[in-house]
Amino acid sequence: MAVNRYDDTRAWYAISTYSGYEDKVADSIRQRINTIDLADKIFDAIVPKEKQIEIKNGKRKVVDRKIFQGYVLVEMKLSDETWYIIRNTPGVTGFVGTGTQPTPVSEKEITKIKKRMGAEDPKYSVNYALGEVVSITDGPFKGFDGAISEIDSAKGKIKVMVSMFGRETPVELDALQVKKI
């Protein structure tokens, strides 16, 4: 057996899964908890997600994005039995740890992840710099290139100086409407 210690304390463990199977794996584990009567040994399985803003066809939409692609967090008491059940869940490729020993995720890390999951305001990812030249990918100025003149990270907005009719014109855009050249 891979697990040679019995730990009677509850802890969170990260398990790796096939990418795209995270939700299926978490559902399977939750189902197994009920059908094999392991509610006193395996407590929960979650796929950490956070809200993000996406723009498609000019429309803003809030979506849930996985924080860790290919990973599920499982709260359990580690034993040979629980290790075997989790490890043999379809879609699971292994536990995260050193050697054959699964390593619990620290309470501090779990708190940070849960805080990130519970954040009500969706995240804007604005990783551009002033003066950087970008290409506009959406909206009425699609196809134009310009230099960034202002960045508002809180709102996810940027101003791009676009050359139109021989002069520079500032255009306010959503950060998701541009891409780096």
Side-chain angles (χ1 to χ4, degrees):
M1 293 277 171
V3 179
N4 51 12
R5 78 177 173 145
Y6 289 89
D7 191 346
D8 215 29
T9 57
R10 286 170 79 139
W12 286 93
Y13 293 89
I15 56 171
S16 55
T17 67
Y18 294 121
S19 190
Y21 284 78
E22 301 88 351
D23 290 316
K24 284 181 188 165
V25 167
D27 289 343
S28 292
I29 291 170
R30 282 190 222 104
Q31 237 175 353
R32 285 175 165 214
I33 293 169
N34 298 328
T35 55
I36 308 175
D37 197 29
L38 289 170
D40 60 332
K41 295 179 182 150
I42 302 173
F43 307 101
D44 199 7
I46 59 172
V47 180
K49 295 179 181 179
E50 69 181 341
K51 295 193 179 313
Q52 286 189 340
I53 292 170
E54 190 178 83
I55 289 189
K56 268 195 178 161
N57 303 325
K59 290 187 174 54
R60 220 172 232 258
K61 174 170 114 172
V62 177
V63 294
D64 279 335
R65 281 263 157 71
K66 292 177 188 103
I67 299 173
F68 307 111
Q69 196 76 31
Y71 291 93
V72 173
L73 296 175
V74 180
E75 186 180 20
M76 62 189 242
K77 291 179 182 175
L78 185 63
S79 69
D80 285 339
E81 180 188 20
T82 56
W83 179 90
Y84 184 82
I85 287 164
I86 298 297
R87 182 63 187 89
N88 289 296
T89 299
V92 171
T93 58
F95 276 87
V96 175
T98 53
T100 57
Q101 198 65 30
T103 307
V105 180
S106 73
E107 277 303 313
K108 190 174 155 189
E109 193 69 26
I110 289 296
T111 304
K112 275 173 45 181
I113 292 167
K114 283 185 173 179
K115 187 176 179 184
R116 198 166 155 190
M117 286 173 65
E120 287 306 305
D121 294 332
K123 297 273 183 273
Y124 296 96
S125 56
V126 182
N127 46 353
Y128 296 105
L130 289 175
E132 186 173 2
V133 178
V134 293
S135 178
I136 300 171
T137 59
D138 192 39
F141 297 97
K142 183 177 181 173
F144 281 85
D145 294 343
I148 297 174
S149 64
E150 260 179 65
I151 299 173
D152 183 347
S153 298
K155 290 184 179 155
K157 300 275 185 193
I158 58 175
K159 271 198 183 146
V160 178
M161 297 304 283
V162 176
S163 181
M164 290 184 351
F165 310 115
R167 57 188 273 238
E168 295 284 304
T169 306
V171 177
E172 187 175 318
L173 299 162
D174 198 289
L176 299 169
Q177 290 179 288
V178 299
K179 70 174 184 185
K180 296 181 183 200
I181 296 179

